[in-house]
Amino acid sequence: MKGKYGKLIAGLAASVVLAGAATTASAEDTIKIGIAGPMTGPVAQYGDMQFTGTRMAIKQINAHGGVMGKKLVAVEEDDACDPKQAVNVANDLVNKGVKFVVGHLCSSSTQPASDVYADEGVVMITPASTNPTITQRGYDNIFRTIGLDSMQGPIAANFIADKIKPKRVAVVQDKQQYGEGIASAVKKTLEKDGVNVVMYEGINAGQKDFSSLITKLKQAKVDFVYYGGYHPELGLILRQAKEKGLKAHFMGPEGVGNKDINTIAGDAAEGMYVTLPPSFDTLPKNAGLVKAFKAAKEDPTGPFVMTSYAAVQLIAEGIEKAKSTDPVKVAKVLHAGTFDTAIGDVSFNKEGDLKKFNFVVYKWHSDGTKTRVE
Amino acid sequence: MLAKRLPFAALCAVLTLVMGLPILGLNLTPQGIHIVLKSAPSATFMWIALGAAVVFLFQLFKDYLSGFWRQVPLPKASSFTPNLEGRKRIYAERAGWFLVAVLAFAMPFFASRGATALGNLVLIYVILGLGLNIVVGLAGLLDLGYVAFYAVGAYSYALLHQYFGFGFWEALPISAILAATFGFVLGFPVLRLRGDYLAIVTLGFGEIIRIVINNMTWLTGGPNGIGGIPNPTLFNMEFGRIVKDPGDTLFYKVLGIEYNSNHKVIFLYLITLVFALFTVFVIKRLTKMPVGRAWEALREDEIACRSLGLSRTGIKLSAFTLGAFFAGFAGCVFAAKQSFISPDSFNLYESVIVLVIVVLGGMGSQVGIILAAAILTMLPELARDMAQYRMLFFGLLMVLMMIWRPQGLIPMKRTPVELARE
Amino acid sequence: MHEQMLYFLQQLLNGLTVGSAYALIAIGYTMVYGIIGMINFAHGEIYMIGAYIALITITGLATLNITFLPVVLVIALVLAMIVSSAFGWSMERVAYRPLRGGNRLNPLISAIGVSYFLKNYVLLAQGSRDIGFPLLIKGSWTFGDPNGFEANFSYMQLTIFIVTIVCMVALTLFISKSRLGRACRAVAQDLKMANLLGIDTHKIIAATFVIGSALAAVAGMLLGMYYGSIDPEFGFIAGLKAFTAAVLGGIGSIPGAMLGGIVLGVAESFTSAYLSTDYKDVVSFLLLILILLFRPSGLLGKPEVEKI
């Protein structure tokens, strides 16, 4: 085509054709399940757990004949635990015609993505986002297979108040939805229990230099620090705190309970307290499943492996029970019944939260193992 | 002779190995609670060796190669344009724009949902690129913090909606004007600065705005962003499945058709298209007005400008303000499209992308910028599988563009005005 | 009262430690700008690469069972400097030299491109996760009352001070006494004239990049070990801060870069100590803007005379 604008028109036309070709109609004999989580980024380790659990579930369900005779197909996308990317992923999955999503992982990603899914009527089950606001907006197609920070916070705070009885507590958070949510929940309960909270500080995710924070903590004679956030930052805080002589105990939510914290903090990770979901891999009925994971050289002990596995199970059972792949119908069925999954018997309340879920307090060790604390 | 280049070629090959081997060949991997080194698969080492060999040979035979290269004629942009003069040219341009507009309007009805959404994003970047073009391309002021105005526009809408319940149409002019005000305010301190210093200060401003938004969690939601921003409505008809703002009707119910989520996407695209065409039109007019000519005069020679009596202050401020206006415009549209914004959408990378669009397109050239915006936005989408390597290629592309074609894809051509003969 | 003093001292020490590392990186920026008038945006990535190479070397040596501390540190430092210099040299040769003498905008964009390329290169090769950097220099001195506030000066902090002072002294001696240093000063003053007088400006410019990169690598290793973890993103932020420091001190002036780095580090430390940790980053940019508005040539720079 001649003319300056020839290029422009050709470009537009080409893009239309290419994009159209890229989004071909899905085959009729498969059901797409979107898996959205961090494949890259600072908390990719947790994304690994999510993908491990979902892949195993899909493999096993397909091996047993699929769902309503159709095979499950995973559409995996990376949101890097970033809200902006999560929205792009959500739009992308919707554009691809995906109607069921297991994801996202980080609360700050799940929240905006859920707006997109709710608008489109897509069923979303998050296996790891614990922030309460995700299910408090009246959406009927958003579920989660993990507990809430409104439960995890008080469990941690009561433990601190009853068992540790510290004199001066500081609460630190990374200002993201997950960290800030759990930290404020803990702070509220601590104050209710009469514990002396002397500082409430925020740090930036990705920060490396915590010397001023630690110096401030030292000056305030803090002997216990609750940190709301993920392991990269807490690992550095632990290490730098030990270096600088801050004598305090630390506690964090499940976002810090990861072996990688030992690679960063070294010995300083010894004695850290952490609240985690119960170890579903130790349930007797999951013995066969654990063996299957180990045979595939995957680690079933991560906190989000079983919850992700269960999420896929729920979608499969929901479709079977509703006898339809219409997500609106499946959502209704999920709200109504009780299902048998790898994390036990599951039933949802009106908001889409599990009716019961217990967090357990563990003590973390410098060799990466943990022991349960009563 | 070849032998003279041998030591240098060998040095280059060795350097390639030094740069490639440790980072590519030895990977730091966590194992349990320790970090260990895992050596990469042997394929990687072969690639590194191959790379070193290529560098060696290239350096050795460089003289022959560059001579050969110079003989290959590069296609010139002018070979694509028909040689029209005067009146005919103006008609041809108008016809071309009209054709493009018609095609653009028709596209969403034939293309898939994903393509329409992508087209929408392209149009937003077109507006941004044209806006920055005023500052960088026409006025020659290197602004590295353009994303700050984009953020102001987007957050204005988001905050106005969250705290005062403003809809899209009410917030749009406010966002644009607010961004323009920021542009005006930012213009003052940078009046005296030139070149690199200007770039640094604007970069600093861009980062400050982002950090402040990120820290003011009580107002802006901090890193968690603001969600639930409503899409634009058409005479109070919403395009969603459920009504979000009380008092609105639903599009599909009013028309009596079945709900199709594509309606929302198509409507958004058409709105953005209207805005983009508006932007093109306005800026085109501005370039022909004294204001526009003053910008270009400033870019060419600031000192001559002053000696001719043009107010440097006025020119710079008008460039900043108008550029910021369009950024605010684009920001509001972006917030409405995504329904969610967070400070991370407005980082330095975004400023750089818009800058690259302007430079790639050819500074000052509107057509070039539109084309560049299209290419730069569509490329990562089309290369989704290679998403990991996208940024790598992006960086490489920037360097290569600068070395090989710094004047841009379609450099600006100023249409000469002929005086009528006496 | 005594405790307040100790607190102040501690925050001052924290600031000086980080500041001196910033100074090392800032020197690279300032040298390049002083000679060819270009802001090397990719310098922060060189710092990051230095940190990665240091960690790779330390881990590798540990695998080979070489753990004698001084040997490990020296080898890691030297290798980091070599690899970073290789990157610096190649960067100049490939991405900047062809653009010299043209429009000022082009090398800037090319630099941004190089920055993205390098960052993603490391990200693809090594992964995007934070990787722990073992602390090899442990222990510290403590002052003050163990029951009150104890100020803490770690051996690692001391190491950072010593290394940075040695580097700065070495650089100053080099610039003022050696032939190459004299040539550098000449080229910085007037490139064309230096060329006419027979100085190989290409070689000098390349040397500038190499020296700057080597210093950045040193800073990378020091700060990587001091903080405790590295990831491909952290070069960018550090680069921006160091650049601010260079401008603060007067871009083009090496003592200015050193001073600017220290001032910036201390300012950041005191802001988080006495105001809020949130606004630590804002301080750097605000300082930058204020300096550029009221004294664009920086603290130690010479005011630029505008010739018409």
Side-chain angles (χ1 to χ4, degrees), chain B residues 38 58 65 87 105 175 232 298 395:
Chain B
K38 274 211 180 93
F58 175 71
L65 284 173
R87 278 256 134 114
F105 268 104
S175 305
L298 187 78

Side-chain angles (χ1 to χ4, degrees), chain B residues 177-199:
Chain B
I177 293 177
L178 204 57
T181 317
F182 267 77
F184 187 73
V185 166
L186 172 62
F188 275 107
V190 306
L191 282 175
R192 288 187 299 146
L193 300 172
R194 281 200 290 179
D196 296 332
Y197 287 142
L198 179 64

Side-chain angles (χ1 to χ4, degrees), chain A residues 2-5 7-9 11-12 15-16 18-20 23 77 82-84 87-88 91-92 94-95 108 112 115 118-121 140 174-177 180 204 259-260 262-263 328 366-368, chain B residues 30 32-35 80-82 89 93 96-97 99-100 103 107 111-115 117 214-215 217 223-224 227-228 241 244 259 261 264 338 340 342 344-345 350 367 370-371 378 382 384 410:
Chain A
K2 280 259 170 126
K4 281 198 271 205
Y5 312 101
K7 263 202 209 164
L8 184 55
I9 297 169
L12 270 174
S15 75
V16 163
L18 275 168
T23 57
E77 298 248 359
D82 170 28
K84 176 182 81 168
V87 171
N88 292 338
N91 281 318
D92 202 47
V94 166
N95 286 343
S108 50
D115 287 330
D119 230 14
E120 304 292 331
D140 55 2
D174 68 356
K175 297 192 287 200
Q176 296 184 97
Q177 182 154 0
E180 201 263 325
N204 291 313
K259 284 213 186 78
D260 274 29
N262 295 83
T263 62
V328 177
S366 51
D367 61 353
Chain B
I33 57 163
H34 299 292
I35 310 271
F80 284 111
T81 59
R89 180 180 207 93
E93 276 187 22
W97 280 116
L99 187 62
V100 166
L103 274 175
M107 191 200 77
S112 73
R113 186 206 170 100
N214 199 27
N215 281 334
T217 317
N224 306 313
R241 193 166 59 111
K244 291 236 183 79
Y259 175 70
S261 56
K264 183 171 61 167
Q338 290 267 89
F340 169 82
S342 75
D344 207 41
S345 313
E350 291 294 321
V367 176
I370 294 177
L371 189 62
M378 295 198 288
L382 296 178
R384 257 250 151 184
I410 301 182

